[in-house]
Amino acid sequence: MNRKDFGELVSTLRVDLGWMQFQLGEYSGVDCAVISQVERGVKKFFEPELLFCLANALQLTTIERNEFILAASGL
């Protein structure tokens, strides 16, 4: 999965929860600008802490978390 596709995944998960970007930022502790960069596919490197914070905020199950992290890695 490329960065743009991963960004679309994050956006879809966020919208499914009925959240705006700023709400995901509040719940994850991630700056809204970073969330915007991820969703637009312009962020080039996904730090493990960023992925864990997003996965926690998006309420992903263990299996979903694994798939989420694999998607971010481009596999």
Side-chain angles (χ1 to χ4, degrees), residues 2-27:
N2 64 37
R3 290 185 313 230
K4 185 173 180 178
D5 291 340
F6 180 72
E8 290 175 8
L9 171 64
V10 173
S11 177
T12 299
L13 292 169
R14 175 183 57 78
V15 170
D16 285 350
L17 290 169
W19 295 346
M20 303 294 289
Q21 284 183 346
F22 80 92
Q23 290 170 300
L24 178 56
E26 287 179 4
Y27 300 140

Short mmCIF file of all heavy atoms in Angstrom, two decimals, residues 2-27:
data_model
loop_
_atom_site.label_atom_id
_atom_site.label_comp_id
_atom_site.label_asym_id
_atom_site.label_seq_id
_atom_site.Cartn_x
_atom_site.Cartn_y
_atom_site.Cartn_z
N ASN A 2 0.64 2.16 -0.88
CA ASN A 2 1.45 3.38 -0.93
C ASN A 2 0.95 4.40 0.10
O ASN A 2 -0.07 4.20 0.74
CB ASN A 2 1.51 3.96 -2.34
CG ASN A 2 0.15 4.42 -2.84
OD1 ASN A 2 -0.66 4.96 -2.09
ND2 ASN A 2 -0.11 4.24 -4.12
N ARG A 3 1.69 5.50 0.23
CA ARG A 3 1.35 6.52 1.24
C ARG A 3 -0.03 7.11 1.03
O ARG A 3 -0.76 7.36 1.99
CB ARG A 3 2.38 7.64 1.23
CG ARG A 3 3.72 7.23 1.76
CD ARG A 3 4.65 8.41 1.84
NE ARG A 3 4.60 9.21 0.62
CZ ARG A 3 5.66 9.60 -0.07
NH1 ARG A 3 6.85 9.30 0.36
NH2 ARG A 3 5.53 10.29 -1.16
N LYS A 4 -0.39 7.34 -0.22
CA LYS A 4 -1.71 7.94 -0.50
C LYS A 4 -2.82 6.98 -0.09
O LYS A 4 -3.81 7.39 0.51
CB LYS A 4 -1.82 8.31 -1.97
CG LYS A 4 -3.10 9.02 -2.28
CD LYS A 4 -3.16 9.53 -3.69
CE LYS A 4 -4.49 10.24 -3.88
NZ LYS A 4 -4.67 10.81 -5.16
N ASP A 5 -2.67 5.71 -0.42
CA ASP A 5 -3.67 4.72 -0.05
C ASP A 5 -3.77 4.58 1.47
O ASP A 5 -4.87 4.46 2.02
CB ASP A 5 -3.35 3.35 -0.66
CG ASP A 5 -3.53 3.33 -2.17
OD1 ASP A 5 -4.25 4.20 -2.71
OD2 ASP A 5 -2.93 2.45 -2.82
N PHE A 6 -2.62 4.62 2.15
CA PHE A 6 -2.64 4.55 3.60
C PHE A 6 -3.35 5.77 4.18
O PHE A 6 -4.14 5.66 5.13
CB PHE A 6 -1.22 4.44 4.17
CG PHE A 6 -1.21 4.36 5.66
CD1 PHE A 6 -1.63 3.21 6.32
CD2 PHE A 6 -0.79 5.44 6.43
CE1 PHE A 6 -1.64 3.13 7.70
CE2 PHE A 6 -0.79 5.37 7.81
CZ PHE A 6 -1.22 4.22 8.44
N GLY A 7 -3.10 6.93 3.61
CA GLY A 7 -3.77 8.15 4.06
C GLY A 7 -5.28 8.05 3.89
O GLY A 7 -6.05 8.49 4.76
N GLU A 8 -5.71 7.46 2.79
CA GLU A 8 -7.14 7.27 2.57
C GLU A 8 -7.73 6.30 3.60
O GLU A 8 -8.86 6.48 4.05
CB GLU A 8 -7.41 6.78 1.15
CG GLU A 8 -7.14 7.85 0.10
CD GLU A 8 -7.28 7.34 -1.33
OE1 GLU A 8 -7.73 6.20 -1.53
OE2 GLU A 8 -6.92 8.10 -2.24
N LEU A 9 -6.96 5.29 3.97
CA LEU A 9 -7.39 4.35 4.99
C LEU A 9 -7.59 5.07 6.32
O LEU A 9 -8.63 4.90 6.98
CB LEU A 9 -6.36 3.22 5.16
CG LEU A 9 -6.58 2.27 6.34
CD1 LEU A 9 -7.87 1.50 6.18
CD2 LEU A 9 -5.39 1.34 6.50
N VAL A 10 -6.62 5.88 6.73
CA VAL A 10 -6.74 6.63 7.98
C VAL A 10 -7.95 7.54 7.94
O VAL A 10 -8.75 7.60 8.88
CB VAL A 10 -5.45 7.43 8.27
CG1 VAL A 10 -5.64 8.34 9.48
CG2 VAL A 10 -4.28 6.49 8.49
N SER A 11 -8.13 8.23 6.82
CA SER A 11 -9.27 9.13 6.67
C SER A 11 -10.60 8.37 6.77
O SER A 11 -11.52 8.81 7.46
CB SER A 11 -9.19 9.85 5.32
OG SER A 11 -10.32 10.67 5.14
N THR A 12 -10.67 7.23 6.13
CA THR A 12 -11.90 6.43 6.16
C THR A 12 -12.20 5.94 7.57
O THR A 12 -13.35 6.01 8.02
CB THR A 12 -11.78 5.23 5.20
OG1 THR A 12 -11.59 5.72 3.87
CG2 THR A 12 -13.02 4.35 5.24
N LEU A 13 -11.19 5.47 8.27
CA LEU A 13 -11.38 5.01 9.65
C LEU A 13 -11.85 6.15 10.54
O LEU A 13 -12.73 5.98 11.39
CB LEU A 13 -10.09 4.40 10.20
CG LEU A 13 -9.66 3.08 9.56
CD1 LEU A 13 -8.24 2.72 10.00
CD2 LEU A 13 -10.62 1.96 9.91
N ARG A 14 -11.28 7.32 10.35
CA ARG A 14 -11.66 8.50 11.12
C ARG A 14 -13.10 8.90 10.85
O ARG A 14 -13.90 9.11 11.77
CB ARG A 14 -10.71 9.66 10.80
CG ARG A 14 -11.10 10.97 11.47
CD ARG A 14 -10.17 12.11 11.06
NE ARG A 14 -10.08 12.35 9.64
CZ ARG A 14 -11.01 13.00 8.92
NH1 ARG A 14 -12.11 13.44 9.47
NH2 ARG A 14 -10.81 13.18 7.62
N VAL A 15 -13.47 8.95 9.59
CA VAL A 15 -14.82 9.34 9.20
C VAL A 15 -15.84 8.31 9.68
O VAL A 15 -16.94 8.67 10.11
CB VAL A 15 -14.90 9.56 7.67
CG1 VAL A 15 -16.33 9.72 7.20
CG2 VAL A 15 -14.06 10.77 7.27
N ASP A 16 -15.46 7.03 9.64
CA ASP A 16 -16.36 5.98 10.14
C ASP A 16 -16.71 6.19 11.62
O ASP A 16 -17.79 5.80 12.06
CB ASP A 16 -15.74 4.59 9.96
CG ASP A 16 -15.78 4.11 8.52
OD1 ASP A 16 -16.45 4.76 7.68
OD2 ASP A 16 -15.12 3.09 8.22
N LEU A 17 -15.79 6.80 12.36
CA LEU A 17 -16.05 7.11 13.77
C LEU A 17 -16.80 8.43 13.94
O LEU A 17 -17.17 8.80 15.05
CB LEU A 17 -14.73 7.15 14.55
CG LEU A 17 -14.04 5.81 14.74
CD1 LEU A 17 -12.63 6.01 15.29
CD2 LEU A 17 -14.85 4.91 15.65
N GLY A 18 -16.99 9.13 12.83
CA GLY A 18 -17.71 10.40 12.86
C GLY A 18 -16.87 11.55 13.38
O GLY A 18 -17.40 12.53 13.89
N TRP A 19 -15.55 11.45 13.23
CA TRP A 19 -14.63 12.45 13.76
C TRP A 19 -14.09 13.35 12.67
O TRP A 19 -13.91 12.95 11.53
CB TRP A 19 -13.44 11.79 14.44
CG TRP A 19 -13.76 10.99 15.65
CD1 TRP A 19 -14.91 10.98 16.38
CD2 TRP A 19 -12.88 10.06 16.29
NE1 TRP A 19 -14.81 10.12 17.41
CE2 TRP A 19 -13.57 9.52 17.39
CE3 TRP A 19 -11.60 9.62 16.03
CZ2 TRP A 19 -13.01 8.59 18.25
CZ3 TRP A 19 -11.03 8.69 16.88
CH2 TRP A 19 -11.73 8.19 17.98
N MET A 20 -13.78 14.56 13.08
CA MET A 20 -13.03 15.50 12.25
C MET A 20 -11.54 15.25 12.56
O MET A 20 -11.21 14.59 13.54
CB MET A 20 -13.40 16.95 12.60
CG MET A 20 -14.88 17.24 12.46
SD MET A 20 -15.46 17.16 10.76
CE MET A 20 -14.73 18.61 10.08
N GLN A 21 -10.67 15.83 11.75
CA GLN A 21 -9.23 15.64 11.97
C GLN A 21 -8.81 16.13 13.35
O GLN A 21 -8.00 15.48 14.02
CB GLN A 21 -8.41 16.34 10.90
CG GLN A 21 -8.40 15.64 9.58
CD GLN A 21 -7.52 16.32 8.55
OE1 GLN A 21 -7.10 17.47 8.72
NE2 GLN A 21 -7.25 15.63 7.46
N PHE A 22 -9.37 17.25 13.80
CA PHE A 22 -8.95 17.77 15.09
C PHE A 22 -9.35 16.83 16.23
O PHE A 22 -8.64 16.74 17.24
CB PHE A 22 -9.49 19.20 15.33
CG PHE A 22 -10.92 19.25 15.79
CD1 PHE A 22 -11.23 19.26 17.15
CD2 PHE A 22 -11.96 19.33 14.87
CE1 PHE A 22 -12.55 19.32 17.58
CE2 PHE A 22 -13.27 19.39 15.29
CZ PHE A 22 -13.57 19.38 16.65
N GLN A 23 -10.45 16.10 16.06
CA GLN A 23 -10.86 15.16 17.09
C GLN A 23 -9.91 13.97 17.15
O GLN A 23 -9.53 13.52 18.23
CB GLN A 23 -12.29 14.68 16.84
CG GLN A 23 -13.32 15.77 17.10
CD GLN A 23 -14.69 15.37 16.63
OE1 GLN A 23 -14.90 15.09 15.44
NE2 GLN A 23 -15.63 15.34 17.56
N LEU A 24 -9.51 13.46 15.99
CA LEU A 24 -8.52 12.39 15.96
C LEU A 24 -7.22 12.88 16.60
O LEU A 24 -6.58 12.15 17.34
CB LEU A 24 -8.28 11.89 14.53
CG LEU A 24 -7.22 10.80 14.38
CD1 LEU A 24 -7.52 9.58 15.25
CD2 LEU A 24 -7.10 10.39 12.91
N GLY A 25 -6.88 14.12 16.34
CA GLY A 25 -5.69 14.70 16.96
C GLY A 25 -5.80 14.73 18.47
O GLY A 25 -4.85 14.38 19.18
N GLU A 26 -6.95 15.14 18.97
CA GLU A 26 -7.15 15.19 20.43
C GLU A 26 -7.08 13.80 21.05
O GLU A 26 -6.44 13.60 22.08
CB GLU A 26 -8.50 15.81 20.75
CG GLU A 26 -8.57 17.30 20.54
CD GLU A 26 -9.94 17.87 20.84
OE1 GLU A 26 -10.84 17.13 21.30
OE2 GLU A 26 -10.12 19.08 20.62
N TYR A 27 -7.75 12.83 20.43
CA TYR A 27 -7.82 11.49 21.00
C TYR A 27 -6.50 10.73 20.88
O TYR A 27 -6.21 9.87 21.70
CB TYR A 27 -8.94 10.68 20.34
CG TYR A 27 -10.31 11.29 20.51
CD1 TYR A 27 -11.22 11.28 19.48
CD2 TYR A 27 -10.70 11.89 21.70
CE1 TYR A 27 -12.49 11.84 19.63
CE2 TYR A 27 -11.95 12.45 21.86
CZ TYR A 27 -12.85 12.43 20.82
OH TYR A 27 -14.09 12.99 20.97
#
